[in-house]
Amino acid sequence: MTFSGVVWKNFKFGIRKYIAFFLCSTFTISIFFIFCNLSFSNDISDFMETAGMGSEYIYTLMVVILSLFSVGFISYINNSKNKSRSKEFGLYMTMGMTYRDITKLIILEDLVILICSIVSGIAVGAVFSRLIYMINMKLIGKDNSNFVLDYRSFFLSAAVFIAIYAVNIIITIFSMRKMNIRKLINSDRESEYTEQSHWGIAVTGIILMTVFAATSVAAALSRDVAMKKIPIILAIMTGLAGIYLVISHITGIISSLAKKNKELYGKSLLSLSEMKYTSKKNAKVLFLLSILSGMILLCSASTFALLSLTENIVESADKHGITYIEAMGVNNFDDSYVEELITESGADLKNHLKYRCTFANKVEGINQSDGETSAAELSENISAVPICLISKSTLYSMTGDISSVSSGEAQILAADPLLTPPESKLPEIIISNGVITKKLVIKGTIINNNFNSEIVLLNRYLLIVDDKDYAEFEGGSNEFNGTIHDIEVDKWRKTDWVFQKLNEARDINNPLTRHFIVYGSYARYSLMKHLYSTFVFVTNFISILFFAATILILLFRQYENTDKMARKYTQLRKLGITRKEFSKFIKTQTGFQFYVPLIMGLFMGACLMLIIQSIMGGNDLYKEFWSASAKIAVVYILLQVVFSRIVSESYFRKVIIKASVK
Amino acid sequence: MALIEVKNLTKTYYGQKNKQSTNALNGIELTIHEGEFLGVMGPSGSGKTTLLNMLSGIDVPTGGNVVIENKDLFSMKTEELALFRRRRMGFVFQEFNLLDSLTLRENIMLPLILDKKPMSYIEERVNKYIRLFDIEKAADKHPYNVSGGQQQRAAVARALVNKPAVVFADEPTGNIDSKSSKAVMGCFEKINEEEKATILMVTHDPFAASYCKRIIFIRDGQICFEQTREGSRSQFFDKIIDSLAVLEGEAKTNDI
């Protein structure tokens, strides 16, 4: 028989093992392809860009997350496949096969699986891409007729998975070279468990997890922006390390605790010894499952909470109504027309306040762009978006904030610390409206959460200047003077129609129109809902994917352990174990694999949600946010309990069928 | 007093569509008395292991019955039989059948743990056999870290720890060297003489069989003849060799 004959016979004999590997690979490649195609979609990227808040990177981020997931998942199943064949490789070597022959065997087999998986994965992905695209378009309210299968998705998917497989093959070859024949032959018997100082390592793990939790709580309570950057990333890394250390030593700890109580030790001997025996191998899987669980909870709970809280977030603002700037021929509505619209809508007009403002169209030292500014304009340091100036007295009457600026100085008024413009770091700027030009020293930023500057003006902030300087600018050129309209209403939910009418009345031919939008409570509400819907779709899709992957990993693991477990059942059955007792043993083993990642996932998810909370702000909505998240967590726990029962029951049946003693 | 009574025990393995059926056991009649050390010998495929599996309730016969301690094994429900096996039978296998996840000590404990006996009692019983079979040094090691002989002695200890009515041993020396065989058979002899344990051992090995008090020789699923130990072990060993030669000779004559 030739070498290729051996490969082919071997392939046919272990076909079930390869099918499991092939199906897992196909699943991963198809999901990857779907997200690649979405990330390359022009319609989606256009929408994401307009949504702002970094959402244009969501799909790219998802592709990165999926790549990392694919690396972990494919490596895990590949490693399992090869480990389950160690004895077979050992036997080949006793018959004279060299490492080189075995390497060739692995490469040949993996190549066949890779080619089949890529073809089928991309085919499945291409079919489902259209469906996922249509759901996305429906959510963002766009026409779904422009679906295309981007050629880059094909190349990227193929390239990523070829790279993953190549790395895996190299790792397998190197790890095989480290093994000797004896080790390979006994690989299915020897435990990877080593007696070591579990307590020290586990306590270190618990400390690291505590640091992660404490940092997350501190970040949630703190409004300090510095807390939300590098320390958070470090805390997450620390938390992950802690989780791994705890998971990998938990059975050692439970075992040594159980040994202190002899009766308990006796009762749990069979289950505990099995967990301990497989602890090292299990640790990697449990860690992967914990991350998946954490991500599932984070994605589904936080977005569900955000979506259900949209109305509460808007409601929690001190004032409700409509805000717009009337200047340079934009938003030139008649006051009575606006008030009439509000009365007709039934929103109950409370106040219509007006504040004076003026604009400077040339700003030096501020490198800002709306994306359409030409390179020539930028080189001249000319701002494309006019910058809005208000006097410090206007600021006081508008927000109640007191500014300390004096002549020749300016302060920035922004709505959120995270949206503080880089200009606030500049020592000074020169502004001009064509008639008056002034050099102003920047004296920091005033943050006012109730101020809608970031939406009213696309340059996201206003400049506060001394009353005297303001008067000079205002007197210099009438062309740049305007009015900030701040209309307060009682029933903001009814203003939908008002927004619609005002937007229809805007002069779309004026190039400045797009810089001054009509904003308010209802507009904020619909924008958030719109934006969150996409987030919910993407994150829930990820949750479902990860959930499916979790189940797939557990099933794969059970599949590869069925023979071993059937042998164990046969041994124990001869010793007189009852089916009920063995079923309990299986349930304990399966439960351990379900509940440890669930607990760790809940911990990780909660910490990450605290971090999200710190980024999102809205201190007064914590209760609602956590209650909505808790609902999702409860649903997830119930789902896991049900799945654990189903999986352990079916596993038990499979083991009984395989066992030689019934 | 008869401990095990076997009546007209038959086992037929059927091929596809009932063609090529094989009679593994063909009307076995056997009585085993309390405290007896019985050996079962015969050529490969004679039905030795099948007989042992039937007697221990691991496999179901095609016909006949097995009564142990006045209980008909095959009228018991599956779970009842499992509990009976746990409490009244002990097993020793050629491949040791120790759980790799447990240490030798824990493996020996297992039948008593399954039976939910108090830990103080379990420890007392386990320590007794660990000392008796001289495996103290290996007791806290896992099976893959000790020799075959030590594994088999642990398996014998496990079979005896719950004071079974009968111990079934299937080729207990088949996987171990001669020195270890001697040690393992010494263990069987010790518990048979000191504790009056009833042992049924299937073996190919005349040396191991020489420790028995009575040996039945089977061929083609039937008992051909039996030998009882009288005199020294070496004399009994010679008798066994002669019997095996006769058994083989008859087989060849039949083939011709």
Side-chain angles (χ1 to χ4, degrees), chain A residues 232-463:
Chain A
I232 291 294
I233 295 166
L234 280 176
I236 293 173
M237 302 306 285
T238 310
L240 288 176
I243 288 172
Y244 182 76
L245 292 181
V246 171
I247 284 176
S248 55
H249 291 85
I250 195 164
T251 45
I253 299 254
I254 297 171
S255 182
S256 46
L257 280 176
K259 271 186 183 168
K260 287 182 181 164
N261 181 331
K262 286 184 178 176
E263 296 304 320
L264 178 69
Y265 173 59
K267 275 182 196 165
S268 53
L269 174 67
L270 202 57
S271 299
L272 268 182
S273 65
E274 181 67 20
M275 287 176 203
K276 208 165 82 171
Y277 182 62
T278 52
S279 62
K280 201 171 172 188
K281 200 173 173 190
N282 270 343
K284 288 168 197 157
V285 181
L286 294 180
F287 181 60
L288 183 64
L289 293 177
S290 301
I291 293 176
L292 291 179
S293 285
M295 291 306 291
I296 291 167
L297 282 162
L298 176 73
C299 289
S300 48
S302 61
T303 49
F304 171 76
L306 282 176
L307 194 63
S308 61
L309 284 179
T310 311
E311 207 166 310
N312 291 4
I313 291 168
V314 177
E315 189 67 55
S316 68
D318 289 342
K319 286 197 297 183
H320 298 109
I322 300 165
T323 311
Y324 60 89
I325 291 179
E326 180 187 349
M328 294 172 274
V330 181
N331 296 338
N332 207 4
F333 314 123
D334 194 29
D335 287 357
S336 57
Y337 171 68
V338 177
E339 287 164 15
E340 211 173 284
L341 285 176
I342 292 169
T343 314
E344 273 180 44
S345 69
D348 291 353
L349 177 72
K350 272 174 80 181
N351 273 318
H352 185 161
L353 302 169
K354 285 174 256 180
Y355 307 101
R356 279 157 53 203
C357 65
T358 191
F359 285 84
N361 65 342
K362 289 184 182 177
V363 184
E364 279 182 37
I366 301 176
N367 184 17
Q368 56 181 346
S369 164
D370 65 348
E372 291 179 14
T373 312
S374 71
E377 280 176 321
L378 271 177
S379 68
E380 286 170 26
N381 270 339
I382 295 170
S383 165
V385 184
I387 190 160
C388 184
L389 310 178
I390 57 168
S391 68
K392 58 194 232 185
S393 342
T394 304
L395 172 77
Y396 180 71
S397 46
M398 204 163 74
T399 65
D401 290 322
I402 298 166
S403 169
S404 57
V405 290
S406 49
S407 185
E409 292 175 344
Q411 259 184 318
I412 284 170
L413 175 64
D416 194 286
L418 289 176
L419 296 173
T420 308
E423 292 79 4
S424 60
K425 307 268 186 317
L426 291 172
E428 57 185 33
I429 56 172
I430 299 165
I431 58 170
S432 167
N433 62 6
V435 180
I436 306 289
T437 301
K438 268 188 184 295
K439 185 192 275 185
L440 298 170
V441 177
I442 298 291
K443 303 289 278 184
T445 309
I446 293 180
I447 305 295
N448 190 308
N449 293 327
N450 292 322
F451 182 63
N452 288 325
S453 65
E454 81 276 21
I455 302 296
V456 174
L457 290 160
L458 285 190
N459 59 2
R460 295 165 191 239
Y461 64 93
L462 271 76
L463 215 53

Side-chain angles (χ1 to χ4, degrees), chain A residues 14 22 40 68 71 139 195 205 213 221 284 428 471 487 570 577 585:
Chain A
F22 162 74
F40 289 130
L68 293 174
V71 170
L139 275 171
E195 294 284 351
L221 296 176
K284 288 168 197 157
E428 57 185 33
I487 303 167
T570 307
I577 198 168
F585 168 73

Side-chain angles (χ1 to χ4, degrees), chain A residues 599-659:
Chain A
I599 293 165
M600 291 300 175
L602 280 170
F603 168 79
M604 199 174 111
C607 289
L608 291 175
M609 276 173 63
L610 280 167
I611 292 168
I612 295 240
Q613 179 185 304
S614 80
I615 293 168
M616 301 300 290
N619 294 341
D620 43 343
L621 291 168
Y622 288 172
K623 218 172 153 185
E624 288 85 348
F625 181 78
W626 282 95
S627 116
S629 306
K631 282 177 198 161
I632 289 286
V634 168
V635 171
Y636 183 67
I637 291 168
L638 288 175
L639 215 59
Q640 288 280 338
V641 171
V642 173
F643 264 105
S644 156
R645 303 290 288 188
I646 295 170
V647 168
S648 66
E649 196 55 43
S650 77
Y651 186 37
F652 174 66
R653 285 208 194 107
K654 274 181 211 153
V655 168
I656 298 286
I657 291 167
K658 280 240 166 186

